[in-house]
Amino acid sequence: GERFAGRNSGAIAVIEGAGDHCCEYMTGGVVVVLGETGRNFAAGMSGGIAYVYDPQGRFKDLCNPAMVDLEPVVALEPVAEDDPGRPQQRAPSAENSGMGDMLRFDAERLRILVERHHLHTGSARARELLEDWDNALKCFVKIMPRDYKRALLAAQERATAKAVAAE
């Protein structure tokens, strides 16, 4: 749809395509687009993150780069199962969507969301991507608002400083 997830402030959504102005003025949440997008994606996007499947490499010309950076989605080295920053398949509570540390675990978060989409909708598109996940993952782009990333990094630094001071 046109303006899908416009002004999104915390919802998590997976869609198979979007029209113009997707994620416009988004301030929170996570959006995954498994297909084509229209123009002006992420205009005014100040928070949250989005992932777009872009096998032809055309998305950069459809995205509004004024406030966001486009980043590759990379799989991290294996980490402990009990790492508190890892995304979870099931949301632990109404207040915690289970999306984990938004600065890490993009590949895990993305796979969880595509799996959820397939489970709840029976999507053939999601199934196709999951069946060839290693190659599909290389075609996703992460859309990250610059100010949001700075705020997350600053919060992480404050938490680390408090932990060091407590020792």
Side-chain angles (χ1 to χ4, degrees), residues 10 12 29-30 49 51 84-92 96-102 104-105 108-110 112-113 116:
I12 298 169
V30 181
I49 57 174
Y51 302 97
R86 286 182 75 147
Q88 300 171 24
Q89 187 60 260
R90 299 186 118 175
N96 180 351
S97 65
M99 290 293 96
D101 181 345
M102 297 302 226
R104 304 176 7 206
F105 304 111
E108 286 185 60
R109 179 180 307 105
L110 184 55
I112 285 169
L113 292 172
R116 285 183 189 175

Side-chain angles (χ1 to χ4, degrees):
E2 299 293 316
R3 289 192 159 83
F4 183 82
R7 300 193 187 278
N8 180 20
S9 62
I12 298 169
V14 179
I15 58 174
E16 301 207 6
D20 295 343
H21 317 291
C22 185
C23 298
E24 183 179 44
Y25 300 113
M26 185 167 148
T27 61
V30 181
V31 171
V32 178
V33 183
L34 302 180
E36 299 289 322
T37 70
R39 63 183 178 79
N40 205 33
F41 192 101
M45 183 179 175
S46 62
I49 57 174
Y51 302 97
V52 174
Y53 182 65
D54 183 31
Q56 273 76 42
R58 294 183 291 181
F59 178 71
K60 68 182 179 311
D61 296 328
L62 299 170
C63 186
N64 184 324
M67 297 176 68
V68 300
D69 289 321
L70 303 182
E71 302 176 357
V73 176
V74 294
L76 290 178
E77 294 297 316
V79 295
E81 287 291 326
D82 61 348
D83 185 313
R86 286 182 75 147
Q88 300 171 24
Q89 187 60 260
R90 299 186 118 175
S93 69
E95 295 82 28
N96 180 351
S97 65
M99 290 293 96
D101 181 345
M102 297 302 226
L103 293 171
R104 304 176 7 206
F105 304 111
D106 291 310
E108 286 185 60
R109 179 180 307 105
L110 184 55
R111 182 168 183 123
I112 285 169
L113 292 172
V114 174
E115 286 173 345
R116 285 183 189 175
H117 181 66
H118 180 256
L119 175 69
H120 294 295
T121 67
S123 164
R125 179 74 163 154
R127 184 183 67 247
E128 173 187 304
L129 294 173
L130 291 167
E131 286 173 353
D132 191 22
W133 186 249
D134 290 338
N135 287 318
L137 186 61
K138 296 172 190 172
C139 296
F140 277 95
V141 176
K142 178 182 182 179
I143 299 85
M144 177 61 116
R146 288 183 207 101
D147 288 343
Y148 182 56
K149 186 173 187 175
R150 266 193 295 275
L152 290 173
L153 287 168
Q156 195 175 62
E157 287 175 20
R158 285 190 303 275
T160 301
K162 282 183 185 178
V164 169
E167 292 176 4

